[in-house]
Amino acid sequence: MEYETPLFFHVMGYAARADRDVVDMVSGNPDWEPPTALREALHEYADLDSDHFQYPPSEGLRELREEVAARRGVDVEQVVITNGAGEANYLAMARALERDAGEEIILTDPVYPYYPGKTTMLGGTPRFVETAADGQLDPEDVRKVANEQTAAIVVNTPNNPTGAVYPESTVRELVAIAEEYDAIAVIDEVYDHYDLSGTFTSALTVDSDHRIVTNAFSKSMAITGFRVGYAIFPLHLVENAKSRHMLVNVAGSYPSQYAVLQALRETEPAYYEANRDLLRERVDSFTAALEAAGAEYTRPEGSFYVMARFEGYPGTLENVERLIDEAGVAGMPGEAFGTARDDWLRFALVTPRLEEAADRLAAYFE
């Protein structure tokens, strides 16, 4: 079987091999500090007895699952701790497909590239719905594509790559469409702490047996390497998800879960607000530079990505490599996210060298 392999690591590798200094605006690795409590918990963990160095419960530490359940207002038995949001989405999509209620998965265009890759890996067929220029998704466009073969509708909000934050009405309607066609709405909320609009509404506010919510601490705590995420399933879907998780992974990382639990309990809201404030400043700075360079761009309502279009410079992999070699800035090609924005480039605002990158782009496209 041929899988769609996302281009992220190819571009990062190309930038690392470049013969010049390159500002990395490819990866979504936050450059700010994780919570202090997380570092303290890791030091504490190192001194625990050796029982803590063995397998944790497969579905995740009970205390962490309880903390997630309490914060999200769900039954603890609905929560499975996963190896990041990536595995959470994999488990959710697998459960949707193995119900034998269809083989098609509806995705947006632009799309986070791992979704179509997972779809084909799981034996499903992707169907794409183009979003508006501002990244918003019209549920009626989804309804036009939905049919008896629809197994799942997979979206993320706040969105990567467009930065759109879907309003509550959109979230509710997507779940309603899933219910109508006996499908599963898989809502990836990994950027929920980076809602810059104040309008984010979790799909957990919609009571339904036809929705699965996924999330992770990778972005919110700036710990992408820890691989601690979670999925919240309807009770009738959770047991097979736990079994698949066990067969694929056995269990997740004990020290990572231990540290995340302590950080969840002890980190004040001010930590997250400070990171949002930093991101707002970066959005202002970077979009101002793009405007000065004559570029068209999207201004994110959430997440930490900006898409930009430079006249006569389509967002191909070849042009991304040229930009690395000639301007010293590494972004992602728009073609990596589907066909709707294949003449755009995507930049991650998670580098302290953002202003330097903006200056380089302005000079290059002058």
Side-chain angles (χ1 to χ4, degrees), residues 8 18 28 32 43-44 54 69 89-90 113 119 145 150 165 171 178 183 201 218 222 224 264-265 285 288 303 333 361:
F8 294 103
W32 42 87
H43 287 290
E44 179 183 299
Q54 312 309 319
N89 290 319
Y90 162 77
T119 299
V145 173
T150 301
V165 175
V171 174
T201 299
S218 302
T224 58
L264 265 182
R265 288 172 169 171
S285 176
S303 75
L361 289 172

Side-chain angles (χ1 to χ4, degrees), residues 182-203:
D182 190 24
I184 301 296
V186 179
I187 315 295
D188 179 351
E189 299 179 352
V190 72
Y191 293 100
D192 60 351
H193 279 77
Y194 298 101
D195 170 28
L196 307 181
S197 67
T199 62
F200 170 78
T201 299
S202 172

Side-chain angles (χ1 to χ4, degrees), residues 116-130:
K118 287 182 173 69
T119 299
T120 55
M121 181 177 69
L122 289 165
T125 302
R127 296 286 302 274
F128 293 96
V129 175
E130 187 170 337

Side-chain angles (χ1 to χ4, degrees), residues 180-264:
E180 182 178 343
Y181 288 95
D182 190 24
I184 301 296
V186 179
I187 315 295
D188 179 351
E189 299 179 352
V190 72
Y191 293 100
D192 60 351
H193 279 77
Y194 298 101
D195 170 28
L196 307 181
S197 67
T199 62
F200 170 78
T201 299
S202 172
L204 290 172
T205 62
V206 185
D207 186 17
S208 175
D209 287 338
H210 289 262
R211 63 103 178 93
I212 299 171
V213 170
T214 64
N215 209 319
F217 304 99
S218 302
K219 312 295 184 179
S220 61
M221 292 187 181
I223 51 170
T224 58
F226 275 51
R227 313 312 303 140
V228 182
Y230 61 89
I232 298 174
F233 293 88
L235 285 170
H236 73 285
L237 295 178
V238 73
E239 289 306 319
N240 280 359
K242 290 178 181 178
S243 295
R244 183 182 284 263
H245 168 72
M246 182 183 296
L247 289 168
V248 172
N249 298 281
V250 179
S253 164
Y254 206 142
S256 292
Q257 292 182 53
Y258 182 92
V260 164
L261 174 60
Q262 295 304 106
L264 265 182

Side-chain angles (χ1 to χ4, degrees), residues 76-89:
V76 67
E77 295 307 322
Q78 295 178 252
V79 179
V80 180
I81 303 300
T82 61
N83 285 291
E87 193 212 349
N89 290 319

